[in-house]
Amino acid sequence: MKNKHYENRLGITGWLGGGRWGVERYLYILHRLTGLAILGFFLLHIFASSARMYGPENWNAAMQILKNPVLKVGEFLVFVAFAFHALNGIRLILIELGLAVGRAEEPIFPYKSSINNQRPLMVVAMVLAGILIAFGGFNAFFMSH
Amino acid sequence: METKTQKKYNITVYVRRFDPDKDAAPRQQQYTIQIEKGLTVLDALNLIKQTQDPTVGFRFSCRMGVCGSCGMLINGKPGLACNTQVLDVTESALTLAPLPNFSIIRDLVADLVPMFGVLTGVQPYIQRSDVEEMENPTREYFQTPHQLEEFLQFTYCIKCGSCMAACPTMATDKEYLGPMPLTQAYRYNTDSRDDAADARREIVSSCHAIFNCHYAAECSNVCPKGVDPARAIQLMKKDLVLRYFGLRKKKCAHVHEGPSQSDYKPKIEAPPFTVDQ
Amino acid sequence: MKETAYWTWFIIAAIVILVLAGLHMVVMHLPALGVYNPASGAATDWQNVAFRSQHQFIAFTYIILLAAALYHGLYGLRTIVFELGPTKAFQEVFTVVLWIVGLILFGVGAYADLAAKSVGRVL
């Protein structure tokens, strides 16, 4: 009988949540996705910005390509990912270094947990990320430079 | 005499069924029951078993949130069937499934044995270097109420596996220790009477262990006992980082030295064994 | 203990990135403030780029930021890949591969940073 157990791991869909999950669950998967996106951008960025060592002609040619409106929007999306990842990252650093989860306490129903301790921080971080993204969008599309 | 009549609700219960002898994969079976306020999910399952289908398999024991046998996925959220009331979850459709991230033995019964294996691995018991004192204690070990408070919350764990089922890392990573064993490792590491924290730290700081927790916080969200595994794990990370920089040193409780004039109770002899050794 | 060291430096790298990438954003996207942008116009105009390429502090922080971002990003990637449940052998090889890839990318970026310094001086 032992071999006939049915394997029931959720797999990648388990990362995405989708049941009656909390907000932090979705921040976790967003943090992961934005992290991968930024890493992908960063690897390109190393090579693109290395064009400066070949002198002004090559540099200006490289910059001309980046003026493409599609890439301009892409750049803004990277900024959105960066702003979220940075602000959520500050929250996660404070939590994971044990500074924002509170001390162990006697559980009394209805249970309060470390989630309640970090919730104000989460709200502040997300509001700041929203402001930063709005400011970045304004700067990218409405300012001339 | 006037009898109080309660409002009745018709609930459709969808139960994930799996019979290892017949089914290749789990299937869903539907039951309709009539319930009233106060009925728990476990009561609903017992009602189905008594009146409609005696073959439904589920596990329970204490019926009061103490034993941790009846953990299951209730409308997509892990929890204990015995301390979840049906009407708190739904007034129409109740979906029950075995805890995910464990293999299914049958119907709603998940195989928790691997979890207990990992738990044993983190040595969840007090160990001391003064073996003689531990085996034949002369007096109690010193522990202040404050020291007790540091780990008391984590002793309430009943090992129901709800946190393991909710954890996103557990969903893919077979080697991950999981929130429950990590919390128990922290519970014994923080116990001022314990002397084996270094060995446990070695285990929890390996690959596929504490640093694969990214605070999705789902374990603390679903814990039916308010144990808050996510908090224990983050506090343990803090401890590991402080020790990495040498900012926190080893400490272990000593035998309590009471006031010199106090009397100590004589050692109580253990009763004789009632079975042959 | 090795994983504790990896993770601790991952967090330290995150803090370094937070400061330096924040500065990088101000320099590159708010040229009107004039931070390390002596010429008017875009931060990517050659005059500004050449000025920054020659600037000791900027050249130094670029290398630090490059190292921190590569370490932070590749450790994050490693964590995600490990959680997908690959075999032990794959995990060991993958760690070595990431170290090599990271060092090569660091070499490329650092070389560009130092080479651009001399280009900026010539012009």
Side-chain angles (χ1 to χ4, degrees):
Chain A
M1 295 297 282
K2 206 171 164 44
N3 300 327
K4 296 188 83 176
H5 289 185
Y6 184 79
E7 182 63 36
N8 192 27
R9 263 177 215 278
L10 290 172
I12 299 260
T13 48
W15 290 6
L16 302 173
R20 297 187 289 143
W21 306 126
V23 183
E24 286 74 15
R25 174 76 161 247
Y26 295 100
L27 295 184
Y28 148 86
I29 188 65
L30 269 178
H31 198 76
R32 188 153 275 207
L33 292 174
T34 52
L36 286 175
I38 294 165
L39 179 63
F41 164 79
F42 180 60
L43 299 184
L44 289 175
H45 187 60
I46 293 176
F47 290 102
S49 56
S50 293
R52 70 186 186 280
M53 72 174 171
Y54 299 115
E57 294 81 19
N58 288 296
W59 172 258
N60 287 333
M63 285 307 108
Q64 207 53 47
I65 300 168
L66 298 181
K67 290 242 161 59
N68 184 325
V70 176
L71 290 180
K72 192 98 175 141
V73 173
E75 197 183 26
F76 176 64
L77 289 180
V78 171
F79 178 74
V80 171
F82 174 79
F84 171 81
H85 200 88
L87 268 304
N88 195 44
I90 293 173
R91 177 184 76 99
L92 284 175
I93 289 173
L94 290 174
I95 287 171
E96 298 199 33
L97 293 179
L99 302 172
V101 291
R103 301 177 70 92
E105 57 195 85
E106 180 102 14
I108 297 164
F109 193 85
Y111 303 125
K112 292 253 189 298
S113 70
S114 58
I115 304 174
N116 302 77
N117 289 71
Q118 61 83 47
R119 187 85 10 112
L121 177 66
M122 189 271 281
V123 172
V124 169
M126 288 305 103
V127 168
L128 285 179
I131 292 171
L132 203 56
I133 288 166
F135 176 72
F138 181 76
N139 185 50
F141 297 113
F142 300 106
M143 302 282 281
S144 57
H145 45 69
Chain B
M1 202 174 111
E2 195 183 355
T3 50
K4 203 176 172 187
T5 51
Q6 284 266 23
K7 192 183 172 197
K8 305 269 185 192
Y9 296 85
N10 283 318
I11 307 272
T12 314
V13 187
Y14 301 93
V15 180
R16 179 99 47 99
R17 302 293 307 269
F18 173 73
D19 185 340
D21 292 332
K22 291 180 198 154
D23 303 328
R27 60 198 163 82
Q28 193 124 293
Q29 195 161 343
Q30 191 179 330
Y31 305 94
T32 307
I33 53 168
Q34 199 176 48
I35 66 151
E36 54 191 39
K37 198 179 168 211
L39 198 90
T40 65
V41 173
L42 183 62
D43 294 334
L45 275 169
N46 274 321
L47 191 67
I48 291 168
K49 200 174 175 77
Q50 285 159 11
T51 60
Q52 297 185 32
D53 186 353
T55 65
V56 183
F58 53 95
R59 184 169 47 201
F60 72 99
S61 180
C62 74
R63 317 173 324 286
M64 50 175 142
V66 174
C67 74
S69 304
C70 63
M72 59 182 69
L73 201 63
I74 303 160
N75 275 20
K77 191 174 178 180
L80 296 180
C82 65
N83 76 353
T84 308
Q85 293 198 12
V86 177
L87 292 180
D88 284 348
V89 181
T90 180
E91 288 187 7
S92 54
L94 181 67
T95 309
L96 300 176
L99 287 177
N101 305 338
F102 295 103
S103 53
I104 306 173
I105 296 175
R106 188 198 153 101
D107 294 351
L108 298 174
V109 184
D111 183 14
L112 303 184
V113 170
M115 176 177 80
F116 294 128
V118 176
L119 176 64
T120 314
V122 300
Q123 308 170 14
Y125 37 84
I126 287 176
Q127 297 168 70
R128 293 192 60 91
S129 43
D130 50 353
V131 180
E132 178 53 34
E133 177 65 30
M134 188 169 71
E135 296 297 332
N136 301 297
T138 54
R139 55 188 77 168
E140 60 274 70
Y141 290 114
F142 182 77
Q143 189 163 60
T144 64
H146 176 71
Q147 285 171 326
L148 174 70
E149 230 169 54
E150 274 182 52
F151 66 85
L152 184 64
Q153 177 173 32
F154 312 118
T155 63
Y156 287 97
C157 176
I158 55 172
K159 284 85 183 169
C160 64
S162 293
C163 52
M164 309 283 276
C167 175
T169 306
M170 289 300 293
T172 48
D173 194 346
K174 288 188 180 70
E175 294 173 66
Y176 182 49
L177 298 184
M180 187 280 276
L182 287 172
T183 303
Q184 290 312 301
Y186 181 73
R187 176 251 175 276
Y188 284 95
N189 270 12
T190 322
D191 195 319
S192 60
R193 298 164 295 178
D194 181 79
D195 208 7
D198 282 339
R200 270 183 229 108
R201 262 180 225 120
E202 203 64 44
I203 299 165
V204 299
S205 67
S206 60
C207 214
H208 299 277
I210 195 149
F211 299 117
N212 289 80
C213 165
H214 312 293
Y215 203 77
E218 212 54 56
C219 48
S220 299
N221 201 7
V222 301
C223 180
K225 302 297 282 182
V227 168
D228 205 348
R231 175 182 282 157
I233 293 171
Q234 312 321 316
L235 291 175
M236 180 118 88
K237 281 182 197 165
K238 178 187 181 179
D239 179 62
L240 285 167
V241 170
L242 286 177
R243 274 167 209 278
Y244 175 68
F245 289 116
L247 296 172
R248 195 180 268 185
K249 296 281 178 230
K250 203 171 167 178
K251 56 167 186 198
C252 180
H254 43 84
V255 170
H256 181 50
E257 299 291 348
S260 54
Q261 71 274 28
S262 64
D263 292 330
Y264 289 96
K265 282 183 183 169
K267 193 175 176 200
I268 301 166
E269 288 296 321
F273 287 105
T274 53
V275 289
D276 288 335
Q277 287 295 293
Chain C
M1 279 294 119
K2 198 171 78 182
E3 291 295 321
T4 310
Y6 276 164
W7 186 79
T8 308
W9 286 100
F10 168 72
I11 295 297
I12 292 170
I15 297 166
V16 169
I17 294 166
L18 211 56
V19 175
L20 294 187
L23 177 69
H24 183 63
M25 288 286 172
V26 171
V27 171
M28 297 310 292
H29 298 287
L30 297 172
L33 295 182
V35 185
Y36 298 112
N37 283 307
S40 56
T44 51
D45 285 353
W46 177 253
Q47 269 183 306
N48 287 329
V49 174
F51 170 78
R52 284 198 300 272
S53 295
Q54 275 191 80
H55 201 285
Q56 291 282 0
F57 175 72
I58 289 286
F60 174 70
T61 52
Y62 270 179
I63 290 185
I64 300 292
L65 179 59
L66 175 72
L70 275 174
Y71 180 79
H72 187 85
L74 295 180
Y75 177 88
L77 179 68
R78 174 178 176 267
T79 306
I80 295 174
V81 170
F82 275 26
E83 283 177 17
L84 290 169
T87 60
K88 264 270 175 285
F90 179 89
Q91 291 177 23
E92 275 162 28
V93 173
F94 193 68
T95 305
V96 175
V97 167
L98 282 184
W99 271 114
I100 294 169
V101 168
L103 287 173
I104 289 174
L105 287 170
F106 178 73
V108 170
Y111 174 77
D113 189 61
L114 297 174
K117 213 169 167 182
S118 55
V119 174
R121 196 171 297 135
V122 168
L123 293 158

